[in-house]
Amino acid sequence: MEAILTGALTQLHEAADQLQLRDEMREYLTSFKTVFQTQFPVEMDDGSLKMFEGLRVLHNVARGPSKGGIRYSAHVSLDEVKALAMLMTWKCAVVDVPFGGAKGGVTVDPAALSSNELQNLTRRFTSEIIPIIGPDKDIPAPDMGTNPQIMAWMMDTYSMTQGYTIPGVVTGKPIALGGSEGRFEATGRGILYVIQEHLRAEGGIQGRTVAVQGFGNVGGVAARLIHEAGAKVTYLSDKDIALHHRDGIDVTAAYAFVAKGGTLTGWHDLFARDVEVVAGADVLAAEVDILIPAALESVLTEANAAAVRAPLIIEAANGPTTVEADAILRERSVVVVPDILANAGGVTVSYFEWVQARQFQRWSEQRVNQELQSIMAKAYQTIATRRPVNAPNCTLRQAANWVAIERVVEAVNLRGIYP
Ligand code: GLU
């Protein structure tokens, strides 16, 4: 079993023990409502056909339609998608948006496809999952390797088969097609809001040193907003390069360069030669106030957790810490703000986008950000105060799991089993 699924199940069992859940409920929560697996053909630019494997897993829909991203990556596997679907159930419950959890993926390296091939793949995969998805059933969104353009193709393919435009079937769409203001930045912005909430009583984020691993839609936006909020991003990396500057990197400039199609390496070589190039592993072991893994899962492991020097980790990626690493970090009193809370800004604004789509309304970016801030702050406070009297040292991860699981269990019990 892959580490991320082992981790999700271990956490669930631990929470089930502590919450004294009945065995039947434990079995229900470790099960998956729908596991859809398909192999489908795509026409390539040279006229050949190539087979791809696609997945969509719905974990639990007790609290509402299922919600979660579609990932395009060469590493997509059933274990990974199942784990991520389960994390989505807890994530939606933590921020209390009325969704269950799902995840999907296609095993493909999107960078190896032309735009036309990517469109063919997306449209064919969408047509395969049409029986499962829908604005009242299951609502995909972007994830690793997918983006607003891909959501536009998904929305169009679904709508064409239904005969009319249904913007609520996916979120993370381009703004011109009913996407929400603020959705593109939402996960990164949610990271900033969670850090601000966490440090509220300790003088805020200003002047803190930060290491960010990952410079995509999550890490890039988070690093830029954190830099603009007055912190010093002293370490920054993407899959090709890791950078360090003791006075802080000009993330606004790096972000602008990458947003125009450049790379972090290109920015360094052209504009930031004073910034030192370091090893990727140095970012996770950086001597900083805050470490933000914002790229792949299972990057903090038994092998490197003891080397972490930051006292605070904000999990911007899904599942970046293995069970073994989590135990080591806990032992060392490193505080971890868990993924299901820290990166819930994306799905929160997806919820706003879905509400806007269903009401044919448009919210301003200011309204989106204000509502996001208030939801993230409330979720953080609920979790930070959910420490039982008999376990005052419980971690934020444990408390987040308890809050999420209790909410899902309450919904399951209220609905009952039918037929
Ligand atoms: N893929 C994102 C996540 O992992 C967003 C999901 C959504 O907006 O539905 O949270």
Side-chain angles (χ1 to χ4, degrees), residues 22 139 171 193 231 236 304 329 332 379:
R22 325 190 296 276
I139 306 130
T171 59
Y193 292 155
L236 186 61
N304 62 12
L329 295 169
R332 298 184 51 225

Side-chain angles (χ1 to χ4, degrees), residues 54-299:
L55 294 158
R56 183 74 181 167
V57 173
L58 278 50
H59 172 241
N60 185 288
V61 295
R63 289 171 41 87
S66 50
K67 188 86 192 78
I70 302 265
R71 172 172 288 210
Y72 286 177
S73 146
H75 304 291
V76 163
S77 70
L78 183 56
D79 275 6
E80 182 197 36
V81 174
K82 278 178 150 180
L84 294 169
M86 186 181 274
L87 288 178
M88 284 309 301
T89 303
W90 313 141
K91 193 185 297 188
C92 293
V94 158
V95 281
D96 206 8
V97 293
F99 291 135
K103 202 76 166 201
V106 177
T107 313
V108 58
D109 173 9
L113 299 188
S114 71
S115 168
N116 185 46
E117 290 167 341
L118 204 56
Q119 177 169 180
N120 290 349
L121 176 132
T122 300
R123 289 190 183 276
R124 180 61 193 238
F125 177 59
T126 306
S127 68
E128 298 286 346
I129 59 172
I130 277 175
I132 306 177
I133 62 173
D136 294 307
K137 287 205 280 191
D138 175 45
I139 306 130
D143 197 84
M144 195 182 289
T146 53
N147 56 33
Q149 174 61 73
I150 288 171
M151 294 305 114
W153 291 326
M154 290 191 79
M155 188 278 263
D156 182 67
T157 306
Y158 183 83
S159 297
M160 294 312 290
T161 63
Q162 309 296 308
Y164 61 106
T165 300
I166 306 173
V169 67
V170 292
T171 59
K173 298 178 294 295
I175 300 214
L177 289 180
S180 179
E181 296 286 348
R183 173 62 185 86
F184 189 76
E185 295 196 335
T187 312
R189 189 172 287 281
I191 298 291
L192 171 70
Y193 292 155
V194 160
I195 299 174
Q196 285 173 332
E197 207 57 37
H198 183 79
L199 297 176
R200 188 173 293 283
E202 295 160 38
I205 194 172
Q206 192 96 23
R208 307 272 176 169
T209 53
V210 185
V212 182
Q213 182 199 48
F215 204 60
N217 174 245
V218 179
V221 173
R224 177 171 64 79
L225 295 177
I226 285 165
H227 164 75
E228 288 167 5
K232 279 196 270 185
V233 178
T234 53
Y235 287 82
L236 186 61
S237 69
D238 69 4
K239 63 180 183 5
D240 300 319
I241 196 169
L243 303 174
H244 165 59
H245 197 295
R246 57 192 288 273
D247 300 329
I249 296 162
D250 183 354
V251 190
T252 307
Y255 186 88
F257 186 82
V258 172
K260 282 197 217 111
T263 61
L264 203 52
T265 307
W267 176 74
H268 170 264
D269 293 351
L270 284 171
F271 298 110
R273 297 308 290 248
D274 60 322
V275 172
E276 197 187 331
V277 177
V278 293
D282 294 354
V283 178
L284 296 178
E287 195 164 353
V288 286
D289 299 318
I290 309 170
L291 169 62
I292 307 182
L296 299 170
E297 60 228 31
S298 307
V299 292

Side-chain angles (χ1 to χ4, degrees), residues 10 18 44 95 108 131 154 242 282 314 328 334 375 390 415:
T10 306
Q18 285 150 347
M44 310 302 279
V95 281
V108 58
M154 290 191 79
D282 294 354
I314 310 287
I328 296 168
V334 176
I375 285 186
N390 57 356
R415 288 179 68 154

